[in-house]
Amino acid sequence: LGSDVDQSRRLLLEATQTNPNDAMAWLYSSVWSQMWGKPADSLSEAQSALRLSPLDPQRYYFEMMLAVSYAAADDWSEAARLCRASLKRNRYHLPTIRTLMIAEYEDGQIERAKETLALLLSLQPDLTVSRYLAVGGKSRLRQRGAQAMQALGVPIN
């Protein structure tokens, strides 16, 4: 999405208007809305992306992005459900595992979140809160994820 938030939004709007059947344009529009826009927009954009790509071999990625949209809308149980569906297709996708851990924590499933964190750390032993925040750290959702990680014992540095 680049560093120019306004320009990236203009380009994404142009992409979805030029080709409304472009699943990736909808998916990245959803990412923009998760970080800087409205959660309701993010949900509808991610749902459009998933609907446009029903047999995609990368469906796990679409499901994970829809899960993040649900997280942005504070629907943590649906976010966790979609993460689990995504992990059935790609069980080692780190962003999905991180999102699942955060969703479980936010949904009050602390023991499950700790189990998911153990899996995550087995695959990404150098994970720290500051590394997590280095990508998109200013978004509300990223900040909330960092708080969950810190509460679960992920080192800050």
Side-chain angles (χ1 to χ4, degrees):
L1 295 174
S3 60
D4 186 339
V5 173
D6 294 331
Q7 177 65 9
S8 66
R9 184 61 177 164
R10 282 190 293 279
L11 290 171
L12 289 165
L13 286 171
E14 183 179 324
T16 55
Q17 289 168 357
T18 301
N19 184 0
N21 293 319
D22 185 340
M24 293 306 288
W26 285 110
L27 193 64
Y28 287 112
S29 290
S30 171
V31 172
W32 191 95
S33 294
Q34 290 165 10
M35 296 180 74
W36 301 288
K38 297 176 187 167
D41 292 343
S42 175
L43 275 170
S44 66
E45 292 159 349
Q47 288 166 338
S48 292
L50 187 59
R51 188 173 50 256
L52 288 167
S53 197
L55 300 175
D56 198 308
Q58 304 251 334
R59 185 174 175 91
Y60 73 92
Y61 187 71
F62 287 80
E63 290 170 333
M64 183 271 301
M65 294 308 292
L66 181 55
V68 175
S69 294
Y70 275 104
D74 294 324
D75 188 341
W76 300 104
S77 61
E78 187 62 11
R81 186 192 71 75
L82 280 160
C83 285
R84 287 186 197 99
S86 174
L87 289 171
K88 287 179 182 176
R89 298 175 200 287
N90 184 344
R91 62 190 260 193
Y92 298 115
H93 190 239
L94 294 175
T96 306
I97 298 168
R98 282 192 302 267
T99 303
L100 176 59
M101 177 196 63
I102 294 164
E104 290 169 338
Y105 175 83
E106 291 290 347
D107 201 34
Q109 299 176 36
I110 306 304
E111 290 308 311
R112 285 185 98 169
K114 288 178 181 178
E115 291 170 12
T116 303
L117 174 59
L119 170 62
L120 179 60
L121 290 174
S122 74
L123 299 171
Q124 188 182 9
D126 62 341
L127 175 67
T128 65
V129 174
S130 58
R131 282 195 184 113
Y132 172 76
L133 287 173
V135 178
K138 294 181 182 170
S139 79
R140 178 191 70 84
L141 193 55
R142 229 357 127 145
Q143 292 294 324
R144 196 149 176 194
Q147 290 170 353
M149 286 182 174
Q150 199 168 350
L152 290 168
V154 174
I156 294 174
N157 292 310

